[in-house]
Amino acid sequence: CGTQDFWAHGGDLLTLDSQGHYRWYNVVTQNSLEHILPDGLSYLTLSSGGILYLLEGGLHCRPLMGQTDTRIADGVLSFAAGPEHIAMLKEDGRIWLCRADGSEMRCLSGREFPDGTRLDVSAGWVFATLSGGEVWSASTEGGDWSLAFDPAA
C-alpha cells in the first residue's frame, strides 16, 4: 500500500495510504497508532493538540495517542492551526480563535469575512486572505483587524 497523502507537524507524521488507512508516527519517540477517521471529512491537519478535521460544519480534534474525538466548535467553514492557536472562520463571517486544545474560545471582532477566506496563524498573529488577494491581520491577543497587504496598491 503506497502513501496517498501525508501531514507533518513537529516530530509527528500522519499518512494516508491507498486503502484509506491513516497512521500516525512520531519520529522522535517512534510511537505509532492507526487511526480510523470518519468518512466525509472535508479538511484535515496536524497540530500540537492532535489531528484536527472538519466534518459537517464541526471542527473536531483527536489526540495523537487516542481514538476519542472532541468537537471543538460548530458552524465552522474553514480553519488553520498555528503553534499555539486555532483560527476558525465561522458561518457568521467572524473569525474565532482558541488554544490548540480547544480551550479559551473567543471571537476576533471588528470585521466579517466571506466564505472562501483563507486563514493562517503564526506566533502571535492571525491572517485572513480574501479571494481578491487582500490580506488582513490581527493579533492573537485581540485588537482590531488591519489591512496588511492590498494588491491594488
Side-chain angles (χ1 to χ4, degrees):
C1 298
T3 299
Q4 200 172 33
D5 208 346
F6 72 94
W7 300 264
H9 177 80
D12 296 307
L13 178 66
L14 182 69
T15 61
L16 172 63
D17 69 24
S18 59
Q19 302 297 311
H21 301 121
Y22 292 91
R23 175 157 298 278
W24 163 75
Y25 178 77
N26 183 284
V27 298
V28 177
T29 65
Q30 297 185 358
N31 289 331
S32 68
L33 183 66
E34 184 168 330
H35 286 276
I36 300 171
L37 296 172
D39 291 334
L41 59 89
S42 59
Y43 181 73
L44 179 141
T45 194
L46 284 180
S47 78
S48 59
I51 302 167
L52 297 170
Y53 64 89
L54 273 180
L55 179 66
E56 298 173 353
L59 177 60
H60 301 261
C61 182
R62 175 175 294 183
L64 297 173
M65 291 290 293
Q67 297 288 341
T68 303
D69 299 350
T70 300
R71 192 172 182 117
I72 293 175
D74 292 310
V76 178
L77 298 173
S78 63
F79 73 94
E84 298 174 6
H85 293 92
I86 302 167
M88 296 160 275
L89 175 61
K90 295 186 94 178
E91 292 170 345
D92 63 6
R94 298 183 299 167
I95 295 178
W96 291 73
L97 196 67
C98 67
R99 292 279 178 192
D101 63 2
S103 65
E104 300 180 30
M105 185 75 66
R106 61 193 163 85
C107 178
L108 294 176
S109 60
R111 185 156 184 14
E112 292 182 5
F113 294 90
D115 188 7
T117 298
R118 296 183 58 194
L119 302 176
D120 194 14
V121 185
S122 68
W125 294 95
V126 177
F127 299 93
T129 303
L130 304 181
S131 62
E134 285 182 359
V135 179
W136 291 82
S137 65
S139 168
T140 57
E141 300 302 317
D144 293 332
W145 287 94
S146 61
L147 184 61
F149 176 74
D150 184 354

